[in-house]
Amino acid sequence: MELSVDGGSVTLADGGTVLDATRAAAVDVPTLCHDDRLSPTGSCRLCLVLADGHEVAACVTPAAAGMVIDTRDAGVADDVRRALELTAQRLPRRALHADTELAGVCDRVGIGPDAFAAVGRGLGRDESHPYFTLDRDLCIACGRCVRMCDEVQGTFALTLTGRGADTVVAAGAGGPWTESACVSCGGCVDSCPSGALSERGAGPVETTTRTTCGYCGVGCTLDAHTADGRLVSITPALEGPVNRGHACVKGRFAHGFVTSPERLTTPLLRRAGRLTPVSWEVALTFVADRLRTIRAQHGPDAIAAISSARATNEENYLLQKLMRAVIGTNNVDNCSRICHAPSAAGLTAAFGLSGGTNPADDLDTADVILLAGSNATEAHPVIGARITQRVLQGAALIVVDPRRTELARLADVHLSGRPGSNVALFNGLARLLLDHGWADLDFLAERATGLAELRDVLAGYPPERVEELSGVPAAAVSEAARLFGTARRASIVYGLGVTEHAHGTDGVRTLANLAILRGAVGTAHGGGVNPLRGQNNVQGASDMGALPDQLPGYQPVTDASVRRRFQEAWGVSLPSRPGLRIPEMFDAALTGRIRALYVMGEDVAQTDPDSAHVRAALTACDLVISQEIFPSQTAQLADVVLPAASFLEKDGTFVNFDRRFQRVRPAVRPPGEARPDFDILRAVAEAMGADPGCPSPAEAMAECARLAPLFGGISHERLDREGALHWPCRGPDDPGEAHLYRRRFATPDGRAQLAAREWLPPGEQPDAAYPYTLITGRRLVHYNAGTMTRRTADLDLVPGETLDMHPDDAARLGVDPGSPVEVTSRRGTVTAPVRVTDDVAPGQAFLAFHFPEVAANLLTSDATDEVTSCPEYKVTAVRLRAAARSSTE
Ligand code: SF4
């Protein structure tokens, strides 16, 4: 539509406001209560303008074709001034001295110190939170923080309380902030225009570096602010394609680890049983000599490497190249083996490619979301918040999870099945889709295969049998099928609760069946099947070929023509036999087949299942190299420790959960002699007398793009220009495919493959000796092995691990909240204080593995997915017993 602003003509899309029109005309209208991400309220009265002669608040007034807007009227300017004076009257003069939106607006409108009160209202401060403070005297009650919490984060932890001029924000019931439901995302702090909410210790900024979060696989775009070479703060970037100016407590605040005194700053070599500081030259010579000797004595396949889902693509690319081209083995794997390998196998078999099918933005148009095996609000908080937003807008939500997570509480249907029952549940849903005519038969006829075989298997999964196998009431299964079956746009999002099972690949396949049956994948309608990848770059680590059977871009090592291409580029002969998977590496170390293990940026001694077995394997090796940022459990068992840079100190790219390449840029220098993994790997190759090629991360990405057609159009230069690119991206002019399979699936016959899979029992089931089922997972505040978050003030928020159990079980054991309980599996025993909650079903218990003091993985099962060797972290049979309190308690 066309309209006029201050005499100039402006074109505006339908639905815009008068404020949008003034901005389109580049006319600056002051605002305080407005934030583009939030619903407008018009409460601050600063955006007053004349629209067709009427004084209106621009942010809440719809623009209309032909409207005449005047922002320069003197009477309106007086009203704006009076409104701001009214706000200023209740604030102390110091409000003007802060670097805030309020101070800027006062300057623009011409409001000086005299308009402010000499002293505050005496409303007090809340200093309870480790990362930010509330100065109530500076609160202008604009409600932006409240709306951020409600509309973006979806936590509803804040409210405005009090009367008239004393109205201020309060968390929860108004007690200390940390006792409220606040999840510390920082959205309120970032939106506050007056400085009432402010980050502790965030001073003036000299330089801002745009980068990508190094915690989870959501891939939030962050701005790292520095001054004097030090990290001052990190804020989420409004332009972030996935996070849109939002973050979680980890990405937003948990960066104190960067300057932790525990950082590794010099190489360490084990001498007389102790890790002793040495020079890089000594460390590298030692590593190269030992690797050469072991290779000469036992062959290249006696050496194995575990690459890092925390490291960049370029570093993963270089490590697999080091192993294949310099050492001469395919023994390289990454931690997707222990989380999403079943996704790679299952999605490739169903659709053709090893990644989620649709971009995160498709959640915005979904009218039903099926969330399976994911506590997204804690493990992938920004996606959890986006799902919450969509549900609040009216989408239906089905949650498949044994625990009553936050999203399960919000769901229309919560399918709380016994751990290990996913395949039965998904088969039950599939059968109902077919029985009720909710399957898209045209789509199935044109674009899918395997329907007849699937029907045969599904005959055995009526809702009543599904109830028997899973414990989920048949009526709930039917209701979930109805919601999913009648939706126009059905999205499937899932997590490790689907993959980390003895039949995890079957779980992915039978879940994918649901999307295929509904024609909700490979179409223009959105929907799709998206795994929430765990660590920041677990997708990229596999994309880059840190896999024992695949070169970069998922090209089989067994394919001679593929090998030939890499051999020509790298100038060496490459091994053709697939290498060992991570669990096989540990087994092989114990039999003497593996003599050297190179572990880059993973704490396998804490994170991998059956830790006693892992520790024994590490101890059995002749050489363990740990490349780390902290003295992790694994580093403490290593022969040599190489100090590495954190994600805030390095250059490269990550790939997030929806296949998006994004740039990682160094904001600060690594401490001491620590070096980026990329530089260390090059130095190791050179110490072994090899030229690793690709002297910089940009050149490594360019080399990978030349060799892996899926990434042919990816380059640092393009990412710097365009921000992010989805793979496949096959050439410099290819915009990348956010939506996969619009024309055909990437399977050999071009069709989606339905999978006929029977439910099979998990590797372990509760029995008389071990009557409870232990589930492991993550908590919001900490991350993975806790290596980084335990060295931040996140520790003030969650200082230790708890064993979550149902009140009935706590009563049966005779334990109160906080009492220690001994948890014993067939592999070990740990003790943790109890958290009593009915979020956990009777007969089950939950532990995270963020704290080495409560080594959850001493307990976890040694059962693995039959297809991919992914461990069954989600089902461990345990017994529980009240433990004696220690004398120090
Ligand atoms: Fe980082 Fe994930 Fe949090 Fe985003 S949601 S800030 S990527 S940890």
Side-chain angles (χ1 to χ4, degrees):
M1 64 179 132
E2 296 285 323
L3 61 166
S4 145
V5 177
D6 292 344
S9 178
V10 167
T11 305
L12 194 68
D14 285 351
T17 63
V18 170
L19 184 64
D20 295 329
T22 61
R23 286 176 172 178
V27 172
D28 179 23
V29 169
T31 59
L32 271 183
C33 67
H34 188 76
D35 183 317
D36 284 339
R37 294 165 291 178
L38 309 174
S39 54
T41 61
S43 62
C44 73
R45 314 305 289 173
L46 293 193
C47 63
L48 296 177
V49 297
L50 286 184
D52 288 340
H54 301 287
E55 186 173 297
V56 297
C59 67
V60 288
T61 306
M67 186 178 258
V68 176
I69 298 166
D70 180 0
T71 71
R72 296 176 297 199
D73 181 80
V76 170
D78 282 346
D79 289 345
V80 169
R81 192 183 164 76
R82 268 194 296 278
L84 190 52
E85 281 170 347
L86 276 175
T87 298
Q89 271 172 21
R90 58 179 174 165
L91 301 181
R93 208 158 283 154
R94 62 189 161 82
L96 204 51
H97 303 310
D99 181 19
T100 60
E101 269 181 60
L102 173 71
V105 167
C106 286
D107 187 43
R108 179 183 170 323
V109 175
I111 299 285
D114 292 347
F116 288 78
V119 293
R121 290 166 281 174
L123 299 175
R125 297 169 68 89
D126 185 328
E127 305 268 7
S128 64
H129 200 282
Y131 289 123
F132 51 85
T133 58
L134 168 63
D135 183 342
R136 295 187 186 88
D137 279 356
L138 296 184
C139 179
I140 60 171
C142 64
R144 276 168 65 168
C145 53
V146 178
R147 281 176 286 144
M148 274 301 288
C149 193
D150 295 355
E151 297 175 18
V152 174
Q153 171 54 38
T155 296
F156 298 90
L158 308 183
T159 186
L160 290 177
T161 182
R163 285 165 179 264
D166 284 344
T167 304
V168 291
V169 64
W177 198 282
T178 41
E179 289 178 14
S180 73
C182 169
V183 292
S184 309
C185 72
C188 54
V189 179
D190 294 335
S191 193
C192 176
S194 69
L197 283 161
S198 61
E199 185 173 355
R200 287 176 188 272
V205 171
E206 285 171 8
T207 310
T208 294
T209 305
R210 180 145 298 179
T211 191
T212 304
C213 182
Y215 282 108
C216 87
V218 173
C220 293
T221 307
L222 303 177
D223 284 333
H225 308 291
T226 54
D228 204 15
R230 284 184 318 103
L231 192 61
V232 173
S233 64
I234 292 180
T235 53
L238 280 172
E239 300 80 6
V242 184
N243 58 317
R244 303 165 173 171
H246 191 210
C248 77
V249 58
K250 299 181 286 282
R252 174 68 176 82
F253 294 115
H255 51 75
F257 69 89
V258 169
T259 52
S260 164
E262 291 179 74
R263 280 291 297 271
L264 292 168
T265 56
T266 179
L268 304 171
L269 193 58
R270 191 168 297 282
R271 284 178 169 156
R274 291 174 63 89
L275 286 169
T276 310
V278 294
S279 69
W280 271 107
E281 193 187 349
V282 169
L284 290 168
T285 304
F286 173 85
V287 167
D289 286 351
R290 297 292 295 127
L291 287 175
R292 264 196 303 258
T293 305
I294 290 169
R295 184 177 56 180
Q297 290 176 345
H298 304 285
D301 286 338
I303 301 171
I306 297 174
S307 201
S308 177
R310 311 305 289 272
T312 63
N313 291 315
E314 294 75 5
E315 290 160 347
N316 278 283
Y317 178 81
L318 203 55
L319 180 57
Q320 62 84 34
K321 184 176 177 183
L322 172 75
M323 294 306 290
R324 293 182 161 119
V326 179
I327 306 282
T329 179
N330 282 314
N331 285 341
V332 57
D333 204 356
N334 76 86
C335 85
S336 72
R337 179 68 50 208
I338 60 168
C339 59
H340 269 292
S343 292
L347 295 176
T348 303
F351 305 127
L353 291 173
S354 174
T357 61
N358 286 56
D361 284 356
D362 279 6
L363 287 172
D364 296 346
T365 54
D367 50 14
V368 64
I369 298 168
L370 194 168
L371 179 72
S374 165
N375 184 7
T377 49
E378 298 212 31
H380 298 87
V382 164
I383 290 300
R386 286 187 63 171
I387 291 172
T388 305
Q389 287 167 30
R390 188 61 192 151
V391 173
L392 295 174
Q393 288 161 6
L397 177 64
I398 303 162
V399 169
V400 179
D401 202 306
R403 290 193 298 151
R404 202 161 59 103
T405 60
E406 193 178 322
L407 285 169
R409 283 195 285 274
L410 190 68
D412 296 86
V413 185
H414 175 201
L415 304 178
S416 174
R418 279 190 280 277
S421 64
N422 286 336
V423 172
L425 258 178
F426 300 153
N427 278 349
L429 292 170
R431 173 175 163 149
L432 289 168
L433 295 182
L434 285 163
D435 284 357
H436 288 276
W438 292 322
D440 184 337
L441 297 179
D442 291 342
F443 179 89
L444 291 171
E446 283 170 31
R447 302 201 56 192
T449 59
L451 183 59
E453 297 85 343
L454 179 62
R455 279 189 195 277
D456 286 348
V457 165
L458 296 185
Y461 292 87
E464 299 69 29
R465 176 154 187 258
V466 173
E467 178 170 339
E468 253 171 56
L469 296 175
S470 68
V472 178
V477 180
S478 297
E479 176 58 6
R482 187 191 67 76
L483 284 172
F484 192 80
T486 55
R488 234 173 78 68
R489 294 190 178 92
S491 276
I492 294 176
V493 178
Y494 71 93
L496 302 178
V498 171
T499 57
E500 289 178 342
H501 287 280
H503 313 290
T505 303
D506 286 352
V508 174
R509 295 296 309 272
T510 50
L511 185 58
N513 282 347
L514 303 178
I516 300 169
L517 287 171
R518 286 289 299 133
V521 57
T523 69
H525 299 309
V529 184
N530 274 358
L532 288 173
R533 307 302 302 248
Q535 306 207 55
N536 54 317
N537 198 35
V538 70
Q539 176 76 52
S542 294
D543 294 349
M544 293 297 114
L547 293 169
D549 54 347
Q550 287 171 326
L551 284 150
Y554 301 98
Q555 303 178 86
V557 294
T558 48
D559 184 328
S561 63
V562 167
R563 277 201 318 281
R564 201 172 312 119
R565 205 152 18 89
F566 279 85
Q567 284 170 175
E568 280 166 14
W570 292 350
V572 291
S573 172
L574 292 175
S576 60
R577 194 175 62 178
L580 298 178
R581 298 168 171 183
I582 291 173
E584 294 166 345
M585 292 177 189
F586 298 138
D587 293 344
L590 286 167
T591 60
R593 213 172 119 208
I594 288 291
R595 313 302 284 247
L597 193 56
Y598 195 145
V599 188
M600 177 171 82
E602 294 287 335
D603 191 4
V604 292
Q606 189 177 334
T607 59
D608 286 38
D610 194 359
S611 330
H613 177 75
V614 175
R615 296 176 81 90
L618 293 172
T619 308
C621 285
D622 297 339
L623 172 68
V624 173
I625 304 161
S626 171
Q627 202 159 293
E628 253 301 349
I629 63 173
F630 284 106
S632 65
Q633 302 288 302
T634 305
Q636 288 169 35
L637 294 171
D639 299 286
V640 57
V641 179
L642 305 176
S646 74
F647 80 96
L648 287 158
E649 299 152 352
K650 57 169 66 168
D651 180 35
T653 55
F654 294 153
V655 184
N656 81 334
F657 82 101
D658 68 355
R659 295 174 284 105
R660 219 179 285 242
F661 274 84
Q662 302 187 105
R663 286 283 276 123
V664 179
R665 300 184 181 90
V668 286
R669 291 175 56 80
E673 296 174 37
R675 298 163 70 171
D677 293 286
F678 192 86
D679 294 1
I680 301 173
L681 293 168
R682 279 185 55 80
V684 168
E686 282 164 2
M688 293 189 71
D691 174 6
C694 36
S696 70
E699 285 160 289
M701 191 67 247
E703 182 179 297
C704 177
R706 284 194 295 277
L707 290 167
L710 278 180
F711 317 129
I714 307 281
S715 69
H716 282 205
E717 182 263 329
R718 231 186 126 184
L719 289 167
D720 286 341
R721 205 174 55 238
E722 299 179 34
L725 287 164
H726 290 270
W727 70 256
C729 176
R730 298 176 191 277
D733 300 322
D734 183 349
E737 280 182 55
H739 294 86
L740 293 179
Y741 318 126
R742 283 275 174 88
R743 287 188 302 281
R744 74 189 298 280
F745 289 93
T747 51
D749 65 2
R751 289 163 165 256
Q753 313 286 309
L754 289 161
R757 295 285 186 277
E758 295 283 2
W759 172 82
L760 295 167
E764 284 195 345
Q765 304 232 54
D767 55 21
Y770 299 94
Y772 292 86
T773 302
L774 177 74
I775 305 168
T776 61
R778 293 188 197 161
R779 301 192 191 274
L780 169 68
V781 162
H782 289 288
Y783 196 77
N784 205 260
T787 312
M788 286 146 61
T789 51
R790 281 187 286 105
R791 274 105 178 180
T792 69
D794 281 27
L795 210 52
D796 296 346
L797 294 168
V798 176
E801 189 48 71
T802 54
L803 178 79
D804 296 356
M805 61 191 298
H806 191 271
D808 293 351
D809 292 329
R812 196 169 303 121
L813 257 60
V815 291
D816 300 320
S819 303
V821 165
E822 206 175 81
V823 191
T824 302
S825 76
R826 290 184 173 83
R827 288 152 295 279
T829 297
V830 304
T831 302
V834 162
R835 180 171 158 260
V836 178
T837 169
D838 58 9
D839 293 350
V840 175
Q844 297 173 18
F846 177 85
L847 267 182
F849 55 94
H850 305 309
F851 292 86
E853 308 83 82
V854 181
N857 284 317
L858 272 177
L859 307 170
T860 39
S861 167
D862 52 5
T864 60
D865 175 41
E866 67 233 321
V867 178
T868 63
S869 307
C870 178
E872 190 164 53
Y873 286 108
K874 301 300 182 189
V875 191
T876 298
V878 296
R879 63 171 176 261
L880 306 178
R881 185 171 82 81
R885 285 180 185 271
S886 75
S887 55
T888 53
E889 284 178 74

